[in-house]
Amino acid sequence: MEPQNSKDHGHRIEVSADMPAVEKGYGGNRVCREVTCGFSDAKASSQEAKERSASMRKLWIAVVMCIIFMSVEVAGGIKANSLAILTDAAHLLSDVAAFAISLFSLWASGWEATPRQSYGFFRIEILGTLVSIQIIWLLTGILVYEAIARLIGGTGEVQGRLMFIVSAFGLVVNVIMACVLGPDHSHGHGHGHDHGHSGHDHGKGAHHDHDHEETDHNIHSQTVNIDIHHHDEGHSKQHMEHHHIHREADLSQPLIDSCAREKKERNINVQGAYLHVLGDSIQSVGVMIGGAIIWMKPQWKCIDLICTLIFSVIVLYTTIRMLRNILEVLMESTPREIDARQLEKGLCEMEEVVAIHELHIWAITVGKVLLACHVKIKLDADADMVLDKVIDYIRREYNISHVTIQIERE
Amino acid sequence: MENSKASDQKDSRFPYRKATPFHYHKLDAESPRSSNNEIGFSPGSDRRFAFSRQTLFHQSSVASGDSVTPMLSRTSSSIDIPLNKRGWSEETFLWGEEEGSDEKPSIFTHLLSGFRILRSGNRPMRRLLLLIFLNVAYSTVELCLGLLLGRVGLVSDAINLTFGCGLLTFSLFAMAASRKKPDRIYTYGYKRLEVLSAFTNALFLLFMSFSLAVEALHAFIQDESEHKHYLIVSAVTNLLVNLIGVWFFRNYARINLVYRKAEDMNYHSVCLHVLADSIRSAGLILASWLLSLGVKNAEVLCLGLVSVTVYILVMPLFRTTGGILLQMSPPSIPSSALSKSMRQVMSREDVSEVSQARLWELVPGHVIGSLSLQVKKGIDDDRPVLQYVHGLYHDLGVQDLTVQTDYA
């Protein structure tokens, strides 16, 4: 955003500290300036960068482990001259490809917004996850095809024992990677402090919301200081909260950060990679069962195909939920956690507001929500004040920080 | 450019270019039922919205003057679709009245919807249904033959074809479902499904190109070349079926295409899919012919050639659909025009700053944006400014704009 403005207008009126904006409410930032916008902001982006680097670290560990195990399997397969092991190694190679896509999307989503990509590059995560889920489906299809081909072609005897050992090894590898990529339960100590804060909250449901608020407070911690002295009336509850948060801000900063990292959902790329690993371990379990049965009774060869089919269906089923989330974001639909009807009702309950129309709520990526609507107000109402109230309400209740409201008079 | 402008003005296919109200979505259904994407929260609100839109319409037509403004020209290097298909944009309200979700329909519903499409879908939908049916029949026959005769090659080809069929079915579903009116959850409607299906098709074609390259590598390393011979009959039949598909969608058989509406992308992707399949079959036939002639490494050459061709075919579509899905600035609006508009807005004396002009494309042809203005204090009625800004951006091609005015 900044490069665009500086290129296009030679002059800009830079209003950096919102001192004259007295009744701005809540942190004093109604229009997202370049510095304090929720998308590309100093404090928020540093926190995001921390999260992003944590996710990238996880993915790097998973990739390195995958490569090590894959080379072990390739060496063992060539030595034992077994096709099954080489196939498993190829499967691990596809895992590496999927992780590489996730890593790239993670890295790319941190790029600065350009005039051509005015919303930043956050959507790349979603597309990257979509591509890696398609890879999962493709691989499952290839596995099914190979099972059918093996059944029809009748390629000699299937060695149950070898299948069992290889798939057991693959299962161990996948379980280790799942532990690396999965949800971590390490920041339990942050909870107590957090509960203390929630008493001063406006009683909104999830800690999720509260957490965002904390984050926002940390963002505006500089302007909060100034605003405390300027708030006169009407925002007494927020006033108290500002004081409280401001005092606690320094003490609880590291704790809040860790809470934020745990409370927020895992990054969608890490979730996609986790799904990949989960699918692989399910397949390994299936192959182990099939291999054990064939080991016991070598004449039941078609068990291989049946096991593959069943477990492929299970793998596809696990991806459906994430696919639905991705589809909802890509279709620009209202995110699930926000109730548009309630928001509209709450807005219309304000006195000056006559009607709301063209309400659009959509998400750039999971967790970053935008809103745009037209608000019709009474002829004699003060547009500035109504704008403030509306933006404040939306920010408070629904945590949507990126809001564009067009005020129209009756 | 001139003839397309003239034909735009007299072609009734593009009604949305003629009227310039603030709310674009209304125009595709001229019914008095006005709750397209207006979220009315009380029963009497429809009339109120219609009234407000009418007043805004009058005001905006006064403000912007010329109401038959052609859209900004597209990039001159692409080739336009010929505007001779009349029946493609007729709004058959196939899915308009459907209320249920399309998440897990049963087989019976599938069949019913198939018949409904046959009866009342528009022409490309019917053609696509026919194509899918042909493909399914052909692959079933191939599968049965392969299972009976025990030929792995036939089975693998059949499964490959089934993947393609599944994708085409998804395209058909997207075509049908994208006509639904916007509702509370999908406030922008369902047109994005077409872009999504085009993206999925392009992705599948990329995967196919990649797997063909892997196969070429495999053939290069292993140097076994007999198994291509028995697939001649199936390759020829495959080629014929796909050529029928290319003929159905022959208007879209280009690499770079100007997309005017959402469906253009979907049709283009279907055409490319069928074209790529036919190129692959042709490559297989060529390879086995060359092998029978005794050319060494013919397989590697042909497979590699096919892979590169499919990649070149698909890349522009992939990039364009990816750009739309990534919320990129619409490529049809050049940044010079954007900055000129911003300068014009800034040059008004009551505006002190314009910031955060963000534009994105929902589907090709429908641009949505948001803008933030700083207006000098003391101006009580911001309606002229709003109208001016809306009119200006409408001339650029931005149909939906939300302008936030702050009083500095």
Side-chain angles (χ1 to χ4, degrees):
Chain A
M1 290 180 285
E2 270 192 24
Q4 179 196 20
N5 278 340
S6 59
K7 257 188 265 175
D8 294 343
H9 340 126
H11 57 287
R12 257 200 71 213
I13 303 172
E14 188 81 47
V15 182
S16 51
D18 290 326
M19 293 294 294
V22 176
E23 272 100 70
K24 283 283 179 163
Y26 200 79
N29 293 303
R30 187 173 44 176
V31 176
C32 287
R33 316 258 177 228
E34 272 61 33
V35 179
T36 51
C37 171
F39 279 172
S40 56
D41 170 16
K43 232 18 190 301
S45 71
S46 81
Q47 182 164 32
E48 272 175 17
K50 251 187 283 186
E51 280 174 30
R52 205 175 307 128
S53 64
S55 305
M56 278 179 86
R57 200 176 39 219
K58 280 191 203 176
L59 277 177
W60 270 118
I61 293 177
V63 167
V64 164
M65 271 173 42
C66 235
I67 292 185
I68 293 177
F69 286 127
M70 181 179 75
S71 36
V72 162
E73 271 198 355
V74 163
I78 291 184
K79 210 165 86 126
N81 204 12
S82 152
L83 192 60
I85 302 183
L86 285 178
T87 317
D88 211 36
H91 205 104
L92 274 182
L93 181 67
S94 71
D95 271 357
V96 170
F99 289 161
I101 291 180
S102 297
L103 264 177
F104 172 72
S105 335
L106 254 185
W107 173 62
S109 67
W111 289 341
E112 286 282 324
T114 70
R116 289 202 68 204
Q117 290 271 145
S118 46
Y119 288 103
F121 287 89
F122 297 102
R123 269 284 168 95
I124 291 191
E125 298 186 328
I126 305 276
L127 278 187
T129 318
L130 182 65
V131 170
S132 75
I133 288 191
Q134 301 283 56
I135 291 183
I136 294 181
W137 282 38
L138 189 70
L139 284 178
T140 314
I142 291 182
L143 268 181
V144 167
Y145 156 65
E146 278 191 1
I148 295 182
R150 273 204 298 266
L151 193 64
I152 296 179
T155 57
E157 43 168 296
V158 184
Q159 300 179 359
R161 201 181 102 184
L162 193 57
M163 269 172 68
F164 187 79
I165 294 179
V166 167
S167 56
F169 179 62
L171 182 66
V172 165
V173 166
N174 282 320
V175 163
I176 296 178
M177 286 202 292
C179 288
V180 167
L181 291 172
D184 45 4
H185 310 280
S186 49
H187 297 286
H189 58 274
H191 269 292
H193 200 89
D194 225 24
H195 280 287
H197 279 283
S198 67
H200 294 273
D201 209 338
H202 291 285
K204 266 311 125 271
H207 282 294
H208 183 72
D209 286 356
H210 176 72
D211 208 45
H212 275 283
E213 217 171 60
E214 300 277 19
T215 318
D216 279 354
H217 273 292
N218 288 333
I219 295 167
H220 306 308
S221 62
Q222 301 307 314
T223 54
V224 158
N225 208 356
I226 306 172
D227 274 350
I228 286 177
H229 304 297
H230 281 285
H231 273 216
D232 299 329
E233 74 284 318
H235 302 281
S236 52
K237 249 191 344 183
Q238 283 183 349
H239 194 90
M240 289 249 304
E241 199 177 358
H242 280 185
H243 269 302
H244 189 90
I245 299 299
H246 181 59
R247 251 181 258 128
E248 309 269 8
D250 329 358
L251 305 170
S252 53
Q253 184 102 349
L255 278 174
I256 288 176
D257 279 355
S258 68
C259 290
R261 210 181 312 146
E262 127 174 84
K263 293 305 181 26
K264 277 196 165 83
E265 280 182 9
R266 279 174 300 152
N267 189 296
I268 196 172
N269 285 319
V270 174
Q271 269 181 331
Y274 177 70
L275 262 187
H276 214 104
V277 166
L278 193 67
D280 275 354
S281 42
I282 292 179
Q283 289 279 6
S284 299
V285 165
V287 173
M288 263 174 68
I289 294 179
I293 293 182
I294 294 186
W295 192 7
M296 302 296 164
K297 294 202 187 283
Q299 60 269 23
W300 286 357
K301 272 199 253 177
C302 62
I303 282 288
D304 187 22
L305 174 63
I306 296 178
C307 271
T308 313
L309 280 178
I310 294 178
F311 285 91
S312 303
V313 166
I314 295 181
V315 165
L316 288 185
Y317 183 70
T318 58
T319 60
I320 288 210
R321 195 166 142 262
M322 164 152 288
L323 204 60
R324 202 184 51 185
N325 283 343
I326 290 181
L327 236 58
E328 282 176 0
V329 170
L330 285 179
M331 292 274 295
E332 322 283 348
S333 71
T334 310
R336 260 159 204 269
E337 58 260 14
I338 294 185
D339 188 358
R341 197 191 301 243
Q342 206 179 357
L343 191 143
E344 215 187 316
K345 214 182 293 192
L347 280 183
C348 290
E349 274 164 10
M350 295 185 184
E351 313 85 53
E352 298 88 358
V353 172
V354 173
I356 310 270
H357 51 100
E358 297 255 2
L359 176 69
H360 293 293
I361 309 177
W362 49 279
I364 278 270
T365 172
V366 179
K368 293 193 173 24
V369 185
L370 295 96
L371 188 149
C373 76
H374 297 201
V375 174
K376 255 188 160 13
I377 61 175
K378 297 195 179 120
L379 270 172
D380 50 357
D382 178 14
D384 212 25
M385 191 196 56
V386 175
L387 189 62
D388 264 331
K389 271 175 66 174
V390 165
I391 293 186
D392 180 51
Y393 172 74
I394 294 177
R395 217 175 259 182
R396 239 183 323 125
E397 307 277 317
Y398 297 94
N399 244 315
I400 307 175
S401 57
H402 214 97
V403 172
T404 311
I405 311 272
Q406 175 167 315
I407 303 265
E408 297 166 359
R409 288 180 201 265
E410 178 82 0
Chain B
M1 190 54 214
E2 290 81 17
N3 53 355
S4 80
K5 239 206 283 195
S7 57
D8 282 347
Q9 294 199 348
K10 68 173 186 285
D11 191 0
S12 60
R13 246 181 90 200
F14 301 106
Y16 56 84
R17 296 208 187 156
K18 303 230 165 58
T20 60
F22 281 120
H23 309 286
Y24 157 78
H25 312 279
K26 179 83 171 70
L27 294 161
D28 51 358
E30 292 80 14
S31 63
R33 183 178 56 124
S34 66
S35 54
N36 269 347
N37 59 346
E38 318 266 285
I39 304 180
F41 58 98
S42 63
S45 60
D46 282 356
R47 259 181 298 134
R48 188 164 45 173
F49 292 152
F51 171 71
S52 72
R53 205 175 310 118
Q54 194 120 29
T55 33
L56 286 174
F57 178 87
H58 285 318
Q59 287 165 355
S60 79
S61 68
V62 162
S64 67
D66 179 27
S67 61
V68 191
T69 333
M71 295 262 201
L72 203 64
S73 64
R74 321 277 175 177
T75 55
S76 55
S77 62
S78 326
I79 306 172
D80 281 359
I81 314 169
L83 305 172
N84 57 357
K85 288 289 169 189
R86 191 57 62 93
W88 282 20
S89 70
E90 64 204 358
E91 290 300 323
T92 65
F93 297 97
L94 180 66
W95 292 82
E97 295 84 29
E98 294 257 355
E99 201 28 66
S101 71
D102 287 326
E103 305 254 339
K104 313 260 188 210
S106 64
I107 306 285
F108 189 54
T109 348
H110 276 309
L111 282 177
L112 265 185
S113 51
F115 287 134
R116 223 178 304 147
I117 289 175
L118 264 182
R119 227 183 27 215
S120 59
N122 59 5
R123 216 183 308 168
M125 278 174 67
R126 266 177 274 169
R127 288 175 169 184
L128 187 57
L129 188 64
L130 187 61
L131 194 64
I132 291 176
F133 181 65
L134 270 177
N135 266 328
V136 165
Y138 170 61
S139 75
T140 324
V141 164
E142 209 181 5
L143 187 68
C144 296
L145 270 181
L147 283 176
L148 279 176
L149 296 179
R151 293 248 170 94
V152 181
L154 283 178
V155 173
S156 85
D157 207 33
I159 293 188
N160 214 328
L161 211 56
T162 315
F163 278 155
C165 271
L167 263 184
L168 288 180
T169 316
F170 179 59
S171 291
L172 185 66
F173 164 72
M175 272 188 221
S178 76
R179 292 208 204 128
K180 274 202 224 179
K181 302 295 177 220
D183 57 21
R184 193 166 283 281
I185 308 253
Y186 293 92
T187 53
Y188 283 114
Y190 289 83
K191 286 208 179 269
R192 261 278 170 103
L193 267 179
E194 313 237 17
V195 178
L196 263 178
S197 96
F199 181 75
T200 318
N201 265 328
L203 199 62
F204 171 75
L205 285 181
L206 276 180
F207 281 162
M208 183 165 98
S209 137
F210 179 66
S211 84
L212 281 175
V214 164
E215 224 178 289
L217 197 65
H218 192 82
F220 183 63
I221 293 179
Q222 291 235 336
D223 199 40
E224 49 162 302
S225 49
E226 323 87 359
H227 63 275
K228 283 295 177 268
H229 284 279
Y230 4 105
L231 294 180
I232 277 288
V233 175
S234 79
V236 168
T237 327
N238 207 358
L239 182 64
L240 283 177
V241 170
N242 284 318
L243 280 182
I244 293 180
V246 173
W247 174 252
F248 279 165
F249 286 92
R250 61 189 174 281
N251 278 324
Y252 291 97
R254 289 190 181 94
I255 298 183
N256 277 313
L257 203 55
V258 167
Y259 303 109
R260 290 231 180 86
K261 313 180 316 210
E263 297 99 65
D264 289 343
M265 269 192 172
N266 211 357
Y267 301 152
H268 189 209
S269 76
V270 167
C271 181
L272 281 185
H273 182 115
V274 187
L275 195 60
D277 256 345
S278 53
I279 290 180
R280 189 179 70 117
S281 308
L284 285 182
I285 296 177
L286 184 67
S288 60
W289 178 60
L290 283 180
L291 272 179
S292 69
L293 280 188
V295 177
K296 277 187 79 72
N297 282 338
E299 219 173 292
V300 177
L301 274 176
C302 286
L303 282 179
L305 203 64
V306 168
S307 160
V308 166
T309 314
V310 170
Y311 181 79
I312 293 180
L313 267 185
V314 159
M315 235 5 193
L317 177 70
F318 184 70
R319 239 187 264 147
T320 321
T321 44
I324 289 190
L325 289 178
L326 282 180
Q327 323 263 131
M328 245 177 30
S329 280
S332 54
I333 299 183
S335 60
S336 57
L338 263 183
S339 47
K340 177 165 164 255
S341 306
M342 282 181 89
R343 274 200 301 272
Q344 275 182 300
V345 173
M346 292 267 317
S347 68
R348 279 179 74 100
E349 63 271 2
D350 33 2
V351 174
S352 66
E353 189 186 338
V354 176
S355 59
Q356 294 202 325
R358 293 206 174 119
L359 300 178
W360 53 284
E361 237 175 346
L362 178 69
V363 284
H366 185 178
V367 180
I368 302 177
S370 75
L371 192 61
S372 191
L373 291 181
Q374 282 276 93
V375 179
K376 300 203 170 85
K377 222 174 177 53
I379 311 280
D380 197 30
D381 189 13
D382 51 3
R383 238 178 303 189
V385 179
L386 272 185
Q387 281 172 25
Y388 180 69
V389 172
H390 274 272
L392 200 63
Y393 274 87
H394 196 93
D395 290 342
L396 272 187
V398 181
Q399 287 97 357
D400 283 346
L401 191 65
T402 312
V403 178
Q404 177 167 312
T405 47
D406 293 308
Y407 296 89

